Amino acid sequence: MKRSQLGVLGVLAVQFLCPMGVYGGEGNVPNAPLVWERIRIGDVIYEAGSIFDVNKDKVLDIVTGEYWFEGPAFTKRHKICDYARVDDYYDGFSDYPMDVNGDGYEDIITGGWWNSTLRWLENPQGRPERWKVHDIDKCGNVETTRFWDVDGDGRVEAIPNAGGNLIAYRLVVDANGKGTGKFTRHVLKTGGVGHGLGFGDVNGDGRGDFVTPDGWLEAPKDPWNEKWTWHEEFHLGMTSVPILVHDVNEDGKADLIVGVGHDYGLFWLEQQVDATGKRTWTRHDIDPDRSQYHDLVLEDLDNDGRPELITGKRYRAHAFSDPGSLDPCGLYYFKIEGGRFRRVTLDYGPAAKASGAGIYLWVADIDGNGWKDILAPGKDGVYLFKNMGPLR
């Protein structure tokens, strides 16, 4: 079926099985493969998306770029705002839900490469109106924005991979813990932050550290008022956003999972510490033969209590100039088994017929069946992969 046959709001549902058996949760059939339903929401080509209840009707909706698609059918769409367009890019590189102004409705935080600005879009309390755009900061060219709880207070901060600096934007809340529509700006590192960003406890001290392509930034006890310590321990090039911090081989030390954002490769770095306390990193390939692994997510898809690595090709990340740009699109998850990665292919093929992963995919149980689903936006269109659980 050609893209033109689907229409902007056409829905294509294809039920198919993963090519390998995986285990589900308690009470599921051993070795039964997960069943997935692929739904093509439309041919909009925004590269970020999210899932949340936009209008508070207790039904989850899909947000991507300039539109939100009303659940549960996702055939009715509503305009949010206008994004500047440059070639086939739209200048919005995240769609993160956060109640910024404390009115009980989730707003959206985004940022753009060309406007170099971190912004929040004000939800008009679910009404069919345009969303008001508020600038947070002119922070530099935004590759994408990530959201991590830097200080452990239960609320995430917004951290754009932008301008070569590492800056956290912290929502100001009132005495009741509600957002006030304002953010404070915290510069954690000036300069030297390239294409790639991660967050997690690297050294096992219980505090979240930042990871960049050229090293990691160690958190102090007070992240907002004390100096962070820089460790230049590797040089990774233009990496994924995020770089994942995860104990891959289950030896008690945090490792790194890294995609090559604009070339071929997906790999992990094994952390080792010798008797003197010197830290080294050993590279292990996961998938050296596929290109543009730009977004990586860890989520438990098969309900076995262990996360899978979810990723795929970012189609036309740099138009046609990246190595492998014209290769088929693909969406995958990897079972992580004590340092080994086993790939499960959810979709693979030409861009008009298959999905990649975009710059910011989203994982959530959109239909409430107890199994997490995958929203995969991108220049190849936006797809929803519904997880139906194991074959019985």
Side-chain angles (χ1 to χ4, degrees), residues 46-261:
Y46 311 104
E47 293 191 79
S50 61
I51 296 171
F52 64 95
D53 184 0
V54 172
N55 55 355
K56 296 188 71 172
D57 65 353
K58 299 183 180 179
V59 176
L60 292 177
D61 309 298
I62 289 174
V63 171
T64 182
E66 297 175 322
Y67 297 96
W68 67 276
F69 293 81
E70 192 170 335
F74 312 115
T75 54
K76 184 178 181 180
R77 69 177 182 178
H78 306 268
K79 189 70 178 280
I80 294 174
C81 64
D82 292 314
Y83 282 161
R85 181 171 180 173
V86 179
D87 297 324
D88 58 357
Y89 291 88
Y90 283 90
D91 209 19
F93 289 84
S94 65
D95 284 313
Y96 193 87
M98 179 186 293
D99 184 3
V100 175
N101 58 359
D103 67 351
Y105 287 80
E106 301 283 0
D107 309 300
I108 295 170
I109 298 183
T110 188
W113 177 265
W114 288 274
N115 63 47
S116 302
T117 304
L118 187 67
R119 292 170 165 164
W120 70 279
L121 313 179
E122 185 176 352
N123 186 339
Q125 297 186 347
R127 295 186 294 269
E129 302 172 4
R130 296 294 180 96
W131 298 35
K132 186 177 180 181
V133 179
H134 303 265
D135 288 352
I136 299 172
D137 188 33
K138 194 86 169 177
C139 58
N141 305 107
V142 178
E143 183 66 29
T144 184
T145 304
R146 295 290 148 167
F147 300 85
W148 295 301
D149 184 0
V150 176
D151 55 9
D153 68 350
R155 290 187 291 268
V156 297
E157 281 69 51
I159 301 97
N161 188 193
N165 304 314
L166 211 168
I167 302 174
Y169 296 86
R170 189 182 184 199
L171 180 65
V172 178
V173 298
D174 62 19
N176 297 315
K178 294 184 177 181
T180 62
K182 298 179 180 180
F183 292 81
T184 55
R185 181 177 185 268
H186 303 269
V187 179
L188 306 182
K189 186 179 189 305
T190 303
V193 179
H195 184 302
L197 189 64
F199 181 78
D201 185 1
V202 172
N203 58 354
D205 65 358
R207 298 190 289 271
D209 311 299
F210 282 100
V211 181
T212 81
D214 292 317
W216 62 284
L217 198 62
E218 181 180 351
K221 291 183 178 179
D222 184 346
W224 308 129
N225 298 298
E226 296 178 4
K227 184 178 180 179
W228 292 62
T229 304
W230 174 245
H231 301 272
E232 189 173 349
E233 296 179 351
F234 40 73
H235 298 282
L236 306 177
M238 296 179 71
T239 72
S240 53
V241 188
I243 300 167
L244 297 177
V245 181
H246 180 67
D247 183 3
V248 171
N249 57 358
E250 302 175 1
D251 66 351
K253 295 186 292 294
D255 308 301
L256 306 178
I257 303 175
V258 185
V260 182

Side-chain angles (χ1 to χ4, degrees), residues 259-310:
V260 182
H262 295 280
D263 206 326
Y264 285 90
L266 176 67
F267 60 93
W268 68 282
L269 292 180
E270 179 182 0
Q271 180 181 174
Q272 297 169 314
V273 182
D274 66 19
T276 68
K278 181 181 178 181
R279 182 178 291 100
T280 59
W281 301 88
T282 303
R283 176 170 171 155
H284 303 274
D285 282 337
I286 300 171
D287 185 359
D289 300 323
R290 288 169 175 78
S291 75
Q292 297 170 84
Y293 281 115
H294 207 288
D295 188 18
L296 312 177
V297 174
L298 285 173
E299 288 283 357
D300 183 6
L301 296 176
D302 57 11
N303 289 348
D304 68 350
R306 301 161 65 89
E308 281 71 53
L309 169 63
I310 307 157

